[in-house]
Amino acid sequence: ALSKAEDSESDDEGAIDSVKHGKPGWGPDGRPSDYQSNNRKRRRNLNCLSALATVWVVPCDKSAQAVPKPAQEVVVGECILDAQDAVTQVYFKSIYGTSDVEEIVELELQHDNRNLSPGQRAAVNLTAQHLVPTADGRMVPAGYLKPGMEAGGGVVKKLRVHTSKPNTQFEVATFYTLSGSLLAGSEAADHSICHNAAACGVEVSSYDHWTDPYTSIDTRILFNLFGGSVVNSKLYQAYFWLESSLLDEWMHKLWPMELESLNLEALTV
């Protein structure tokens, strides 16, 4: 189960398809409610994975096999698997519980040609605004995807919305990687631990907006100079989120990622 939350839709009837939006926590226009209000309040929480999502840690020189690990246990400086079996390094990470994130989207890909073992799925829990790469090279918020679209390194099978209980928190993780993306998978508590990242992994971005690599350049520079000692400090983490809350708000105002402008139907298989 999601950390400190409940699955509001536990079976296939709860899957979000191309027309049946309006489920609890989803607006009438088909967008998760986080898109419709309080974006300023929630700005720092947009690009998050579940803290229990699986990532695959590997030596930076690829001298050993990748090992699955919960996102909350990964540390700055470690290398993890990226798309196409590449390796990328984590240069910033933050783990926190937040009542601002009231919904998490579960993105599941079709299982065709994935060599999955029984009980395993190619799926990941993430915030609706977290960017996911599409087959045509774009980055699209997870909450805008629909079944049949080519994204995340496969074809979307279904999406579900998980809603937190009253007075509880989701525990979520923000990752910034040098490549700007990573492979992430299901929570080990829900499914068998998957050692095969190519089968279970979903390709996701590190960001929630295309300007994030530029607005976070100071973080990358500090990591390159001092490793994780500075970017992990409480002082820098406080500065990071203050800076993000100011800059991100303006970036999203200047260059909004509106559903109507994305022409997502072209992604449907």
Side-chain angles (χ1 to χ4, degrees):
L2 291 175
S3 179
K4 299 184 182 178
E6 67 176 350
D7 183 351
S8 64
E9 306 289 351
S10 59
D11 54 27
D12 285 348
E13 293 300 319
I16 301 165
D17 60 24
S18 59
V19 293
K20 293 182 183 177
H21 294 284
K23 295 288 183 181
W26 291 73
D29 62 353
R31 301 179 185 182
S33 60
D34 277 352
Y35 269 138
Q36 300 175 58
S37 63
N38 296 328
N39 271 339
R40 180 179 304 177
K41 171 185 170 185
R42 294 173 178 165
R43 179 61 52 209
R44 78 172 208 166
N45 303 316
L46 298 185
N47 54 319
C48 301
L49 303 174
S50 164
L52 300 180
T54 298
V55 295
W56 287 269
V57 177
V58 63
C60 295
D61 60 2
K62 297 188 70 174
S63 59
Q65 294 293 319
V67 176
K69 181 184 289 190
Q72 62 187 358
E73 296 181 9
V74 176
V75 300
V76 170
E78 281 192 301
C79 288
I80 58 179
L81 285 183
D82 199 350
Q84 301 173 347
D85 202 32
V87 173
T88 187
Q89 193 171 26
V90 177
Y91 73 88
F92 181 81
K93 172 197 168 188
S94 184
I95 298 286
Y96 46 89
T98 173
S99 57
D100 292 340
V101 178
E102 298 172 353
E103 301 152 356
I104 291 282
V105 173
E106 180 182 18
L107 168 62
E108 182 177 358
L109 303 181
Q110 293 181 11
H111 297 174
D112 300 347
N113 304 316
R114 280 196 169 252
N115 194 30
L116 291 163
S117 299
Q120 294 178 344
R121 299 182 302 152
V124 65
N125 294 317
L126 69 172
T127 48
Q129 296 89 342
H130 199 117
L131 296 182
V132 178
T134 63
D136 60 3
R138 291 183 290 165
M139 292 289 176
V140 173
Y144 285 165
L145 297 174
K146 298 178 182 180
M149 290 183 175
E150 293 185 278
V155 177
V156 177
K157 179 181 180 182
K158 65 180 72 171
L159 292 95
R160 287 193 179 99
V161 58
H162 299 269
T163 306
S164 63
K165 295 179 181 179
N167 302 316
T168 63
Q169 297 180 333
F170 282 113
E171 191 171 22
V172 291
T174 291
F175 280 98
Y176 279 6
T177 67
L178 294 180
S179 69
S181 62
L182 64 148
L183 283 178
S186 295
E187 301 173 359
D190 286 343
H191 309 287
S192 301
I193 295 176
C194 182
H195 291 266
N196 186 352
C200 301
V202 179
E203 298 175 14
V204 298
S205 173
S206 294
Y207 309 118
D208 78 287
H209 196 270
W210 65 267
T211 59
D212 285 349
Y214 306 100
T215 57
S216 63
I217 191 66
D218 55 333
T219 309
R220 184 189 291 241
I221 291 172
L222 287 172
F223 169 75
N224 287 333
L225 292 175
F226 305 107
S229 60
V230 173
V231 298
N232 280 333
S233 68
K234 291 183 179 180
L235 180 61
Y236 186 79
Q237 293 257 336
Y239 160 77
F240 177 91
W241 290 120
L242 176 61
E243 178 189 48
S244 295
S245 66
L246 296 174
L247 288 178
D248 288 1
E249 180 181 351
W250 282 104
M251 296 303 102
H252 282 262
K253 284 183 176 179
L254 292 172
W255 296 285
M257 303 190 72
E258 297 293 342
L259 178 63
E260 296 76 11
S261 64
L262 293 176
N263 187 27
L264 298 184
E265 298 306 320
L267 298 172
T268 304
V269 177

